[in-house]
Each structure stands twice: as structure tokens, then as C-alpha cells.
């Protein structure tokens, strides 16, 4: 229904509520490692309830939907993509702990969390607006051109955001760490931002897989990327230290983009622009 602003607004509120709730569960309720999981779950349940309430009048009950089989397969595929993405996104911390020290894990985790700001502030809001929009225009003959232009502007704005944050990364680390010893996290931030910008690109170039109902192929891509990530980390972490994990993450997501693009291109042809079009 093109109410993307409402959805994005509630999700940004979720981001704002999650941090203080997690702090409370960690510092006051003493839940330990369960604090971020419990806090995130609680806020998501509240947000989900609010969205259900906002759309309740348009829900329909009873009868068997002809779309049920397709939607079930869609849900299974989406869950599989989510699980393999989570594995790819988190496997490096365990490997850093194995081949480095707890201090390395702490420094890298701080840089990674700060680098993921691009995910929260840019990629998620964009994807929540873009996902329904691209389906709305899926039958339009100009859809491939729309994909091309959106990809160009998305990458350009994402790179500008990454450069801007990268220039002040040391100051950001100092602000959030509160003491010395985390300076090395500043080098992690822009690399992680580039990696997650690649993840955002996947939300554009995977259009053909969803149209052709081949989303399950993305599970194979993410699984292969996770294997690549583990292999590269095992090779480079003992030699280069924790910073190698950031570059391995970037390489892994680049692999996901390229593989997804090649698979999706079979079903919906898409081209890359040599330059970004400028409206006059």
C-alpha cells in the first residue's frame, strides 16, 4: 500500500528503543549474553504488534488462499537466506577468538558494530521501501532500466556515506569506547561499511531470483560465501591479525554480489552503468 514511511519510521523507533533496553537487561537485570537477544526480541514483538494493529482492518480470515503454497515456499526460502546470512556475518568473531586474543575480539567487534551503522541507517530503510516498489513495477517494460538507475544511485550514496564516516572513524571510536586501547577499531569501520554496502546491493541485483521463484539459490550463494569466509580467515588471521577478518568479510560479500548478479541475470537481464546518470 506504499506506506513505506510508516514501516521505516517504526523500525527506526525499534533501533532507538533496543539500545537502552539491552543496557537495562545487561546492567540492571544482569541477563549477560542473553541481554541483546531478549532485548531485540522484546522490541521486535512490540513493533510487530503495532504494525498488526495498524493493518488489522485489512486482514482477511477464513478460506484457503491460492497463494498459500507459493508464500510457504517464499517463507522457507527467506528463512534459509536469513540463516546462511547470519552464519556468514558472525563466523569471523569465533575465528578471531581462536587465532587471536579476547582483546582482538573486543576491538574487532566494536569496529564491526560501528561499521554496521550503514546497515541500520541506510540499507534497511532503503530495502523496506525498495522491496515492495520493485515488485509493483515487475511487469513494466522499463523495469530493467529502473534497476540499473537505482543500483547506480544506491552505490554512489553509500560510498559517500562510507567515506564521510571513514574520515571521522577515530573520533567515533573514541566516543563510543570511552578509553584507549580500541584505536585499531577505526580501521575496521570503513571496510565493514563497504562489505555491508555490498549486502545492500544484493537487494537490488537479486530481483530475477525472486521473480523466477528461485530465491533458494541465494541460500547456496550465502553458504558458499560462508565457506569462503572461513577458508580465507583461517589462512590470513594468523598472519595478518584481526584486521584481516574485515577484508575477508568484504571479499565474501563481493562474492555474494557477483554470484547473485550472474544467477539473477539469467531471469531478468540487468546491466551496470558506466557512469551515473545526472538529471537536468
Amino acid at each position: 500500500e506504499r506506506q513505506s514511511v510508516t514501516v521505516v519510521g517504526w523500525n527506526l523507533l525499534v533501533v532507538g528503543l533496543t539500545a537502552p533496553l539491552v543496557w537495562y537487561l545487561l546492567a540492571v537485570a544482569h541477563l549477560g549474553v542473553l541481554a541483546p537477544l531478549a532485548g531485540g526480541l522484546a522490541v521486535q514483538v512490540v513493533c510487530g504488534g503495532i504494525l498488526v494493529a495498524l493493518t488489522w482492518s485489512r486482514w482477511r480470515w477464513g478460506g484457503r488462499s491460492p497463494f498459500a503454497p507459493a508464500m510457504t515456499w517464499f517463507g522457507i526460502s527467506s528463512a534459509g537466506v536469513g540463516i546462511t546470512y547470519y552464519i556468514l556475518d558472525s563466523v569471523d568473531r569465533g575465528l578471531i577468538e581462536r587465532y587471536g586474543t579476547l582483546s582482538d575480539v573486543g576491538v574487532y567487534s566494536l569496529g564491526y558494530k560501528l561499521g554496521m551503522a550503514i546497515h541500520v541507517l541506510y540499507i534497511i530503510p532503503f530495502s523496506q521501501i525498495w522491496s515492495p516498489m520493485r515488485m509493483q513495477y515487475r511487469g513494466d517494460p522499463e523495469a530493467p532500466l529502473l534497476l540499473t538507475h537505482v543500483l547506480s544511485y544506491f552505490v554512489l550514496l553509500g560510498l559517500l556515506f562510507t567515506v564521510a564516516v571513514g574520515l571521522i572513524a577515530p573520533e567515533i571510536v573514541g566516543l563510543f569506547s570511552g578509553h584507549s586501547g580500541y584505536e585499531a577499531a577505526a580501521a575496521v569501520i570503513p571496510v565493514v561499511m563497504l562489505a555491508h554496502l555490498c549486502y545492500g546491493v544484493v537487494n537490488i541485483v537479486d530481483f530475477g531470483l525472486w521473480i523466477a521463484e528461485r530465491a533458494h539459490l541465494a541460500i547456496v550463494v550465502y553458504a558458499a560465501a560462508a565457506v569462503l569466509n572461513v577458508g580465507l580467515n583461517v589462512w590470513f588471521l594468523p598472519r595478518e591479525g584481526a584486521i584481516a577478518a574485515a577484508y575477508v568479510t568484504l571479499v565474501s560479500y563481493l562474492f555474494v554480489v557477483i554470484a547473485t548478479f550472474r544467477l539473477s541475470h539469467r531471469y531478468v537481464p540487468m546491466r551496470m552503468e558506466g557512469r551515473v546518470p545526472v538529471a537536468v
Side-chain angles (χ1 to χ4, degrees), residues 170-217:
E171 289 76 12
I172 295 175
V173 170
L175 177 65
F176 281 90
S177 65
H179 56 82
S180 60
Y182 287 90
E183 294 86 354
V188 175
I189 294 176
V191 183
V192 170
M193 291 183 70
L194 286 175
H196 282 272
L197 181 61
C198 290
Y199 173 77
V201 169
V202 173
N203 293 327
I204 302 174
V205 301
D206 66 351
F207 182 60
L209 296 182
W210 294 106
I211 291 297
E213 299 182 12
R214 296 292 187 273
H216 59 279
L217 296 178

Side-chain angles (χ1 to χ4, degrees), residues 132-280:
M133 182 183 295
R134 70 178 184 177
M135 288 302 178
Q136 179 181 358
Y137 294 110
R138 64 187 181 278
D140 194 298
E142 297 295 328
L145 182 61
L146 174 65
L147 289 169
T148 300
H149 290 340
V150 168
L151 175 61
S152 297
Y153 286 117
F154 177 82
V155 172
L156 177 60
L157 292 175
L159 289 174
L160 290 175
F161 186 23
T162 300
V163 170
V165 173
L167 290 174
I168 59 172
E171 289 76 12
I172 295 175
V173 170
L175 177 65
F176 281 90
S177 65
H179 56 82
S180 60
Y182 287 90
E183 294 86 354
V188 175
I189 294 176
V191 183
V192 170
M193 291 183 70
L194 286 175
H196 282 272
L197 181 61
C198 290
Y199 173 77
V201 169
V202 173
N203 293 327
I204 302 174
V205 301
D206 66 351
F207 182 60
L209 296 182
W210 294 106
I211 291 297
E213 299 182 12
R214 296 292 187 273
H216 59 279
L217 296 178
I219 300 175
V220 179
V221 172
Y222 277 102
V227 173
L228 174 66
N229 186 288
V230 171
L232 291 177
N233 271 311
V234 169
W235 178 262
F236 285 106
L237 277 175
R239 296 167 172 79
E240 305 297 335
I243 187 63
Y247 288 97
V248 169
T249 299
L250 175 57
V251 171
S252 301
Y253 279 113
L254 280 173
F255 169 82
V256 173
V257 171
I258 295 172
T260 302
F261 175 82
R262 292 183 65 87
L263 289 172
S264 181
H265 186 75
R266 299 177 181 177
Y267 306 105
V268 176
M270 181 179 176
R271 69 180 181 87
M272 303 287 185
E273 287 187 305
R275 62 184 180 86
V276 177
V278 179
V280 178

Side-chain angles (χ1 to χ4, degrees), residues 45-135:
V45 168
V46 172
C47 181
I50 292 172
L51 291 175
V52 168
L54 291 174
T55 59
W56 185 260
S57 62
R58 296 182 292 278
W59 284 49
R60 297 293 181 268
W61 302 95
R64 181 178 179 180
S65 170
F67 302 107
M71 291 304 297
T72 300
W73 180 242
F74 174 85
I76 294 173
S77 300
S78 298
V81 171
I83 292 171
T84 48
Y85 161 74
Y86 177 79
I87 294 173
L88 172 60
D89 189 60
S90 59
V91 68
D92 51 0
R93 263 77 89 197
L95 292 172
I96 292 174
E97 183 177 0
R98 178 176 180 178
Y99 292 102
T101 64
L102 287 177
S103 176
D104 292 333
V105 176
V107 171
Y108 180 79
S109 296
L110 175 63
Y112 200 96
K113 291 295 184 183
L114 294 176
M116 282 192 69
I118 192 174
H119 201 98
V120 175
L121 300 176
Y122 183 58
I123 295 172
I124 292 179
F126 166 81
S127 63
Q128 290 177 337
I129 295 174
W130 169 245
S131 294
M133 182 183 295
R134 70 178 184 177
M135 288 302 178

